[in-house]
Amino acid sequence: MAEQDKVIIERDVRLDLFRGVGLWMIFLDHIPHDVVSWLTLRNYGFSDAAEFFVFISGYLAGFIYGPIIKAGHFLSALKRLWKRAMEMYVAHIMLFLIFTAQIARTVRRFDNPLYEDEFNVHNFLEHPDILIGQALTLRYKPVNLDVLPLYIALIATAPFMLWAMVRRPNLTLLASVILYIFARIFDWNFASYPPGSTWYFNPFAWQMLFIFAAWCGTGGASRIWPIVQSRLALIAAIIWILFAFLIVMTWHIAALDALVPKWMIKIIYPIDKTDLDMFRFTHFLALALIVSRYVPHDWAPLKFKWLRPAIMCGRHSLPIFCFGVFLSFAAHWVLMQYTRGVWEQLVVSAAGILTMIGIAWVLDRADNVPDLFVDVAEIERRKTALEPGKA
């Protein structure tokens, strides 16, 4: 892409903030029976951090690469997005190998087979020759490693989706909705391992949230902004969020469960995460509507120092997510081997989040180190321009 064709994108700090908070919530949710996980979104509504991450990824794909493809630089967008997908694939494989090695070492050292069964690595330890191949094809995934394959699939197909989006945005969105409906009717999903199982996050279903976000990022948000700003939409969003809160509370308080009518139970359940149940999708949309109304791009608290740690984690979401998986297992191990008291849960949860912040700070400082190396191709172009008759 020529120098004059380069696109400068202003960073939306809100997205970094929400990704950072989402990473903390994922870390806490991955620690079983942790009292601090009551601070996460999944305990108060139908959706959780997964919806936030998929939506933000789709929105950024449309916002950043939509104009590039529209300007005729499809191959440039393809190269960049596939490079990102490859980075996530390599991160996933490295995370898989180190994570399973961490669990295997723990099982042998403490003679406790509970961990290998709990984290779905028993088959790998028994048949590593078979499971390595299954892992490389994203068919075999231990517990807590399900989300990266979904992102890899979405980002890898994003260039072709965006090519259609910039030409026929509404038709592309409609095709996404139809694919979602067919996937739920005919149980379309990618095969997993062991045979007979499927991906925990169904790409044929979750693509609808990703593509809707890309539609918003390529201009759709401005078209629905009058709806977002309407009082009726706000009231509907608040009612739906309150309804979801009450239903989720019945999962924790038996007395409330008896108050839910039987006919409503048949309508609501099961609230399927694998196939992105519409209760989850609409709950996320309700939250997103309220956030977009009251957290503008220039929201003053975004400059506050106390939000800086979450923003830093959000800027380095891939490495922080990978470290978060290790930290959640380490926290779980500490609580299982020693004590599960409330104070211990508070300490290990706080220690994990502080470690994530520390890693993000190091990565942030590393980004600020000046790069004194010059691209060889750039030097060759300058030499050619200085030669007589070739300027």
Side-chain angles (χ1 to χ4, degrees):
M1 188 183 299
E3 189 71 25
Q4 63 271 20
D5 292 333
K6 289 184 178 179
V7 179
I8 299 176
I9 304 296
E10 182 181 0
R11 194 176 193 98
D12 193 336
V13 182
R14 296 175 301 175
L15 303 181
D16 292 329
L17 172 64
F18 294 132
R19 279 196 296 194
V21 174
L23 288 166
W24 294 352
M25 290 195 292
I26 290 174
F27 162 72
L28 295 173
D29 288 336
H30 285 174
I31 306 175
H33 313 297
D34 182 18
V35 66
V36 187
S37 66
W38 275 94
L39 297 175
T40 64
L41 182 62
R42 72 173 184 177
N43 295 293
Y44 304 99
F46 298 138
S47 60
D48 57 26
E51 280 82 1
F52 278 86
F53 269 91
V54 172
F55 182 86
I56 290 174
S57 298
Y59 181 86
L60 288 174
F63 184 71
I64 296 174
Y65 298 102
I68 294 175
I69 293 177
K70 191 173 183 178
H73 302 294
F74 172 78
L75 291 180
S76 298
L78 178 72
K79 174 184 175 182
R80 186 69 178 268
L81 286 167
W82 277 11
K83 180 181 178 182
R84 182 60 176 172
M86 183 55 66
E87 289 174 353
M88 289 190 290
Y89 176 79
V90 172
H92 172 74
I93 298 302
M94 293 299 298
L95 178 62
F96 163 78
L97 293 175
I98 300 174
F99 184 63
T100 51
Q102 181 186 30
I103 296 175
R105 182 175 181 272
T106 303
V107 170
R108 286 197 304 268
R109 182 172 181 180
F110 295 93
D111 193 24
N112 189 347
L114 172 66
Y115 296 111
E116 62 182 33
D117 295 327
E118 185 176 3
F119 289 90
N120 190 31
V121 299
H122 176 77
N123 288 332
F124 178 80
L125 299 179
E126 292 288 332
H127 308 283
D129 54 332
I130 299 176
L131 272 298
I132 282 290
Q134 299 293 335
L136 291 174
T137 56
L138 303 180
R139 291 167 61 90
Y140 171 69
K141 301 171 287 293
V143 174
N144 299 340
L145 270 65
D146 302 285
V147 69
L148 276 181
L150 171 67
Y151 290 138
I152 294 169
L154 295 176
I155 296 299
T157 56
F160 309 101
M161 177 272 294
L162 291 172
W163 182 88
M165 180 70 69
V166 298
R167 288 163 173 77
R168 295 290 187 272
N170 294 335
L171 286 179
T172 304
L173 183 60
L174 177 62
S176 171
V177 173
I178 294 173
L179 176 59
Y180 170 84
I181 295 173
F182 280 9
R184 290 187 63 91
I185 293 176
F186 299 108
D187 293 326
W188 292 347
N189 197 348
F190 288 161
S192 188
Y193 189 90
S197 60
T198 55
W199 281 26
Y200 181 72
F201 290 95
N202 184 355
F204 294 108
W206 282 82
Q207 55 79 27
M208 185 175 69
L209 179 58
F210 184 83
I211 293 179
F212 172 72
W215 180 83
C216 292
T218 53
S222 60
R223 293 194 286 271
I224 62 174
W225 187 245
I227 299 176
V228 174
Q229 289 290 88
S230 69
R231 181 180 296 272
L232 181 61
L234 177 62
I235 294 174
I238 293 174
I239 291 175
W240 189 240
I241 291 172
L242 290 175
F243 172 76
F245 172 77
L246 293 175
I247 293 297
V248 171
M249 286 300 101
T250 64
W251 305 346
H252 309 294
I253 305 174
L256 293 177
D257 186 40
L259 300 178
V260 181
K262 299 299 182 182
W263 62 266
M264 185 178 294
I265 292 177
K266 293 181 180 180
I267 295 176
I268 294 175
Y269 300 113
I271 302 177
D272 187 17
K273 186 173 184 177
T274 294
D275 294 321
L276 186 60
D277 193 276
M278 287 305 298
F279 280 82
R280 296 180 63 96
F281 182 75
T282 52
H283 180 260
F284 167 77
L285 292 184
L287 293 173
L289 183 144
I290 293 178
V291 169
S292 61
R293 281 178 64 105
Y294 296 107
V295 185
H297 186 273
D298 56 351
W299 193 44
L302 292 173
K303 299 179 181 179
F304 292 173
K305 291 184 178 180
W306 57 275
L307 287 181
R308 178 71 178 171
I311 293 172
M312 283 194 304
C313 289
R315 286 181 177 175
H316 307 282
S317 56
L318 181 58
I320 296 301
F321 169 79
C322 294
F323 279 108
V325 172
F326 297 128
L327 292 172
S328 63
F329 175 77
H332 179 46
W333 172 80
V334 170
L335 295 176
M336 290 292 294
Q337 291 296 135
Y338 298 101
T339 178
R340 294 183 233 180
V342 173
W343 283 107
E344 288 80 1
Q345 295 177 47
L346 293 173
V347 169
V348 297
S349 299
I353 291 177
L354 289 175
T355 303
M356 295 167 72
I357 294 172
I359 296 171
W361 182 86
V362 172
L363 295 173
D364 220 42
R365 298 287 76 78
D367 286 344
N368 292 330
V369 175
D371 188 358
L372 301 181
F373 295 93
V374 181
D375 188 1
V376 175
E378 183 66 25
I379 295 177
E380 293 297 329
R381 285 196 296 267
R382 291 178 181 178
K383 286 183 178 180
T384 303
L386 292 175
E387 293 180 10
K390 295 185 179 182

